[in-house]
Amino acid sequence: MRTRTDCRCCAGTSLTEVFSLGEQPYANAFLTAEQLTQPEPTAPLVLMECQDCGQVQLQHVVDGRELYRNYSFQTSSSEFMTRHFAALMAGNVARYVPRGGFVVEVGSNDGTALDSITRPDVRRLGIDPADNLAEIAEQRGVPTLCRFFGEDVAREVVEQHGPADLLVACNVLGHCDDLDDFCRGVNALLSPTGALIVEVPDVRHLIERTEFDTIYHEHLSYFSAHALVTLFGRHALSVERIEPQGVHGGSIRLTVRRGSGTALCRDSAGRAARDWSAFNARSLDLRTRLIHWLTEQRDLGRVVWGYGAPAKATVLLNYAGITNDLLPVIVDSTPTKQGRFVPGTHQPILAPDRLRVGKPDAAIIFPWNHATEIRSKESEYLAAGGQLLTIHEMHS
Ligand code: JHZ
Ligand code: ZN
């Protein structure tokens, strides 16, 4: 772990602390039964804001090799996200990829997005550091390079396959410590007429919608459009388009091209409107309400489980200190998470069909971003009187 004292978007050094979740375990490091008795690694989660460009980033950087070698999250776990990425690929392949062209996805996970490309003439390559995921992707026929993307890897790829017409990086920029190296990689790999498509959660929504549970060690940056335009501008990359996206609590999609003539003015992305003290107060209030509600349910003799074990569940449960006496079980559809336990608070993770057997009175949907999909899958449980709710819907 190291402390970062400069802004990864503008290189400035005026960083101010705006929020802290304290010392926390790694959100996606779901434990095996043997690991339950062993000490767990933790690191602080402290948010810093750059006073020059508005970038928000973690003060402490945990080595990515520790977080990503074996990765539990799988893109294919959501049908909604699978459709979202298929639409992204379809539109941009049609727009930027000529016959026989080349598409590279950074952070390609289990190959879901690249697998959606239907044109047989298009060559594809995924790049992802998790070997368990690269293996899954390869099995479904998506060629995958199991590495961290950066300038060196980009040069190797160009040498082997030629330049990329389309580079896609969704929910991956936030995970990169060295964004200058990422941008040098883009410049090494992108064809002169190609495009880079980036998607990241928008920090504006994180603040406005009190999404503090999206703050964890993997997420080193919490971007605004302004900070990203600043970053790319320093690397002769120009942001051609910014489109809001509803996914992950409110995201932005950027289309980035070669050239320094940034077509977009650097909109200040709500900097003046950032009210961190109200965000701090709302986060504390949410935590208090959650603890009260769960205690009340327990005292009424009602059983409450968790539905979905996203990284966000680990953050919320640990921040609120919710152990098995208040919430004893979580169900999740991801095979690699089942049979494991939540870091820190140790709830067991079971397959979703156990919900129909165990029939808890209620379950908290931890991935609030997937509430619609989960409710439609669990219509039987709901019809039988079960309750599914998100933390934002909780009133005691
Ligand atoms: P979900 C992800 O974070 C991954 P997380 C990553 N860390 C990132 O950067 C951000 O997104 C932006 C389960 N589930 O997508 C599957 C069901 O059980 O909110 C997942 O474990 N049944 C790279 O970890 C979890 O919920 C279902 O029907 O916060 C969702 O995780 C559905 C739809 C999901 O990711
Ligand atoms: Zn900055």
Side-chain angles (χ1 to χ4, degrees):
M1 186 183 74
R2 70 186 191 95
T3 305
R4 178 119 198 190
T5 53
D6 61 327
C7 167
R8 47 171 84 74
C9 286
C10 79
T13 51
S14 311
L15 301 179
T16 314
E17 180 176 333
V18 287
F19 185 71
S20 172
L21 286 170
E23 192 77 25
Q24 295 294 345
Y26 305 156
N28 267 317
F30 295 99
L31 307 168
T32 60
E34 300 76 63
Q35 286 173 319
L36 281 175
T37 51
Q38 290 161 20
E40 295 174 46
T42 63
L45 284 172
V46 179
L47 281 193
M48 308 297 285
E49 183 181 54
C50 171
Q51 298 311 301
D52 297 319
C53 75
Q55 157 76 344
V56 177
Q57 59 187 37
L58 288 185
Q59 185 174 31
H60 301 89
V61 179
V62 174
D63 191 337
R65 280 168 300 191
E66 236 185 293
L67 301 176
Y68 301 112
R69 182 149 298 138
N70 190 287
Y71 198 52
S72 57
F73 173 78
Q74 286 187 36
T75 306
S76 59
S77 63
S78 163
E79 286 161 24
F80 170 73
M81 291 307 291
T82 301
R83 285 196 297 275
H84 172 81
F85 290 127
L88 179 152
M89 281 295 183
N92 287 294
V93 165
R95 196 167 190 145
Y96 297 109
V97 185
R99 174 146 288 281
F102 184 36
V103 180
V104 176
E105 185 185 14
V106 181
S108 48
N109 197 278
D110 57 11
T112 297
L114 284 171
D115 199 24
S116 73
I117 298 174
T118 48
R119 256 173 54 185
D121 63 292
V122 173
R123 293 170 296 128
R124 310 169 296 177
L125 180 69
I127 303 176
D128 198 290
D131 33 55
N132 62 316
L133 296 177
E135 200 183 310
I136 297 173
E138 286 278 354
Q139 273 165 13
R140 73 202 287 186
V142 176
T144 304
L145 191 59
C146 192
R147 301 272 292 278
F148 279 98
F149 180 76
E151 189 178 9
D152 291 347
V153 170
R155 292 200 182 286
E156 285 173 37
V157 172
V158 171
E159 220 163 89
Q160 254 199 309
H161 306 272
D165 302 291
L166 178 63
L167 246 175
V168 175
C170 292
N171 301 314
V172 70
L173 243 59
H175 301 242
C176 301
D177 186 23
D178 190 347
L179 290 177
D180 291 322
D181 187 46
F182 181 95
C183 289
R184 285 192 297 269
V186 172
N187 273 315
L189 183 53
L190 196 62
S191 85
T193 53
L196 160 71
I197 310 295
V198 164
E199 214 171 86
V200 290
D202 186 340
V203 71
R204 179 162 25 157
H205 299 303
L206 185 158
I207 298 168
E208 287 174 6
R209 302 174 188 172
T210 323
E211 296 166 349
F212 64 83
D213 51 355
T214 63
I215 300 167
Y216 44 95
H217 302 100
E218 287 173 18
H219 292 170
L220 297 168
S221 297
Y222 304 81
F223 296 110
S224 60
H226 179 79
L228 282 174
V229 170
T230 305
L231 167 74
F232 290 125
R234 288 176 44 240
H235 290 273
L237 291 165
S238 114
V239 177
E240 201 175 79
R241 212 173 318 135
I242 302 177
E243 298 157 290
Q245 302 290 324
V247 300
H248 288 300
S251 296
I252 38 174
R253 181 183 297 171
L254 275 62
T255 304
V256 185
R257 312 291 300 272
R258 282 181 179 281
S260 42
T262 290
L264 285 169
C265 61
R266 295 176 181 183
D267 85 87
S268 61
R271 265 210 71 184
R274 282 183 194 168
D275 188 344
W276 289 106
S277 74
F279 175 76
N280 272 273
R282 285 197 304 277
S283 301
L284 283 170
D285 181 56
L286 238 155
R287 168 164 80 171
T288 309
R289 276 196 287 141
L290 174 65
I291 296 168
H292 278 172
W293 187 81
L294 283 170
T295 310
E296 195 179 70
Q297 295 296 306
R298 185 192 55 192
D299 294 348
L300 288 168
R302 284 165 57 85
V303 177
V304 182
W305 286 10
Y307 200 109
K312 292 186 283 283
T314 308
V315 178
L316 181 67
L317 291 167
N318 280 278
Y319 175 56
I322 292 167
T323 41
N324 285 273
D325 56 325
L326 287 181
L327 192 137
V329 176
I330 300 184
V331 295
D332 190 288
S333 61
T334 317
T336 46
K337 293 183 184 179
Q338 293 164 6
R340 295 195 174 232
F341 299 82
V342 176
T345 55
H346 296 185
Q347 282 83 4
I349 302 166
L350 308 176
D353 57 9
R354 295 292 286 273
L355 186 84
R356 281 150 243 160
V357 182
K359 295 195 185 71
D361 298 290
I364 298 173
I365 302 179
F366 289 120
W368 34 258
N369 45 316
H370 297 302
T372 310
E373 182 171 341
I374 288 170
R375 287 199 173 103
S376 79
K377 272 186 199 158
E378 298 301 338
S379 54
E380 213 176 287
Y381 167 72
L382 290 170
Q387 204 185 352
L388 286 171
L389 72 177
T390 67
I391 47 164
H392 303 278
E393 294 164 349
M394 212 160 271
H395 301 283
S396 57

